[in-house]
Amino acid sequence: MGWNKTKCMMVRQLFVSIVLMCRVTAMLTQNCSISYNVDDCGNKGLLWNCSGSNISKMPTVLPPELENSNTALDISYNQFTSLTKDTFEAIAAYSKLENLNNLYLRYNLISKISEKDQRHFESLNNLSIYIEGNPISCACLNIQSLKWMKDHQNSFPDLGNVLCLENNHHVGHLFNDEIWRKFELDCQSKDWLIFSIVLLFLTILAFTSIVAIKNYRVHLEYVILRLKKQWKGIPLRKSEEEFLFDVYVSYSESDYVWVRDKLCPKLEDLNVKSWITDMNSTPGRWVLEGIVNRINECRKVMFVVSESFLDMEWSSYAVKTAITHAFHNQRQGFIVVLIKDGVALEKLPDELKNIWWCIEHFRWPEEESNEVILKKLTKALQSDLTF
């Protein structure tokens, strides 16, 4: 009894499925008709007419009448933009459409014959394709499609009625050998022009990027450093109570002995704690993070500007680092410039001249015994004043 009940349920489900399939088939094929047909070459067969059905995909079921018979398919006046094997594969008996000999695609939305379309059409022997009324593009962008159409002109019986979308000239006229050669040359010229423009653009972009990176290298590195510190939870700015030194002294290597033996002792006598590199470290080899870490431990930064300082690329890098750190941390007034060797202000790095309004500067006296200058310098180095 149980087995019979299960069998009855299976039969009922199968019946329902068949009914549903029939309804779907009727819905998909109700706008198409089948009739006897004789084409322009006298070939007899059947015409599957789905023209004007407002469709963009083929029905999913192939009418049994079309199986193994010469067939003409008319899907004109619809919304097809291309026609490929995929278009027909939804049909359960697609393989039986191999006898398709006439395909009417008139007045659809086909602008080119894609490479996929081309392979599909070539797989069907003796197929005639009618494409009048489609917006065929004759632009250089579609030259591959046009070349294929030119090589297969015999497959397009109504080619003389097909117009180019761009200028309403006949596509067949374009396929004249002389006109086609000129068209190909024009397209190659346009391709080279586009290539040259793109190459020029990329060259300018690369050059601009290199210049920008060179000019803003310190800023980029500083931003990366800030992100790195934030990710690690390490603040870049210290509070006033955490300063270990009063001043970070930046100078050229040739001034190291003068800074060590003459400047720093005088500052120490006035209770100014200064930070300088030792004899074994080379300022020019410091990385940005090292500079920022040292600057961050000092209340002020002082640049000892001499002729040798101006000649060093390192000096510009150090200046940019200090300025960037100052403005990112609202410490614009923490830069001090000490000018020695009688260096003219006009020779100062542009980075300093651009922010001269917030810089305190002093000239070191040639006799090196001016106590007034030293006291003013000491006051500036120990002051927390910012602008």
Side-chain angles (χ1 to χ4, degrees), residues 149-168:
M149 292 177 63
K150 179 180 183 298
D151 294 340
H152 296 79
Q153 293 183 59
N154 293 335
S155 297
F156 299 94
D158 62 349
L159 192 61
N161 299 325
V162 180
L163 303 179
C164 292
L165 175 65
E166 289 77 12
N167 51 28
N168 282 333

Side-chain angles (χ1 to χ4, degrees), residues 305 307 310 337-339 342-350 352-354 356 359 361-363:
V305 179
E307 290 292 346
L310 298 176
V337 175
L338 180 63
I339 304 173
V343 174
L345 295 179
E346 293 76 15
K347 290 186 175 182
L348 293 179
D350 290 337
L352 290 177
K353 289 192 286 188
N354 291 337
W356 199 246
I359 289 178
H361 70 282
F362 304 88
R363 283 193 177 274

Side-chain angles (χ1 to χ4, degrees), residues 167-380:
N167 51 28
N168 282 333
H169 292 170
H170 287 92
V171 174
H173 176 70
L174 177 64
F175 294 160
N176 176 276
D177 288 340
E178 184 176 346
I179 296 175
W180 178 257
R181 282 194 295 271
K182 183 178 182 302
F183 175 73
E184 284 187 312
L185 290 174
D186 289 342
C187 289
Q188 291 174 4
S189 300
K190 291 178 181 178
D191 289 342
W192 275 108
L193 178 61
I194 294 173
F195 174 78
S196 301
I197 293 174
V198 171
L199 183 61
L200 177 62
F201 172 77
L202 292 177
T203 302
I204 294 174
L205 181 62
F207 177 77
T208 304
S209 300
I210 292 172
V211 172
I213 290 174
K214 182 178 180 180
N215 292 338
Y216 297 98
R217 170 192 166 193
V218 172
H219 301 280
L220 293 173
E221 290 182 1
Y222 188 82
V223 170
I224 293 172
L225 176 61
R226 287 181 67 91
L227 294 174
K228 177 181 175 182
K229 294 289 187 181
Q230 289 176 3
W231 182 71
K232 292 183 177 181
I234 304 174
L236 272 178
R237 181 179 181 181
K238 292 181 178 291
S239 63
E240 305 295 335
E241 296 78 14
E242 294 179 308
F243 290 132
L244 301 179
F245 302 92
D246 291 310
V247 60
Y248 168 92
V249 185
S250 177
Y251 51 89
S252 70
E253 291 184 71
S254 60
D255 289 326
Y256 173 76
V257 175
W258 181 85
V259 171
R260 183 195 64 187
D261 296 342
K262 293 186 178 182
L263 177 63
C264 287
K266 291 180 181 294
L267 294 177
E268 288 175 2
D269 290 342
L270 296 172
N271 296 320
V272 175
K273 296 175 64 177
S274 57
W275 192 98
I276 64 172
T277 56
D278 57 38
M279 294 187 65
N280 294 323
S281 62
T282 304
R285 294 178 184 171
W286 280 68
V287 295
L288 180 137
E289 184 172 1
I291 300 174
V292 171
N293 288 341
R294 299 292 78 78
I295 290 177
N296 212 28
E297 295 173 346
C298 302
R299 190 183 309 276
K300 294 291 180 71
V301 172
M302 180 169 65
F303 293 104
V304 178
V305 179
S306 62
E307 290 292 346
S308 59
F309 182 89
L310 298 176
D311 294 337
M312 292 174 57
E313 183 180 352
W314 156 251
S315 65
S316 178
Y317 186 82
V319 170
K320 289 179 180 178
T321 300
I323 293 173
T324 302
H325 187 61
F327 279 84
H328 271 281
N329 293 278
Q330 292 79 48
R331 295 177 61 191
Q332 291 90 328
F334 92 136
I335 297 176
V336 177
V337 175
L338 180 63
I339 304 173
K340 66 186 294 284
D341 298 340
V343 174
L345 295 179
E346 293 76 15
K347 290 186 175 182
L348 293 179
D350 290 337
E351 293 82 7
L352 290 177
K353 289 192 286 188
N354 291 337
I355 61 166
W356 199 246
W357 58 272
C358 65
I359 289 178
E360 292 188 81
H361 70 282
F362 304 88
R363 283 193 177 274
W364 188 258
E366 295 182 4
E367 63 275 10
E368 299 189 359
S369 60
N370 194 325
E371 298 298 327
V372 176
I373 295 295
L374 275 174
K375 289 181 179 179
K376 289 182 179 181
L377 178 60
T378 299
K379 183 179 178 180

Side-chain angles (χ1 to χ4, degrees), residues 79-93:
Q79 301 180 33
F80 288 95
T81 56
S82 64
L83 206 64
T84 67
K85 183 177 179 181
D86 294 337
T87 307
F88 296 103
E89 279 185 337
I91 303 174

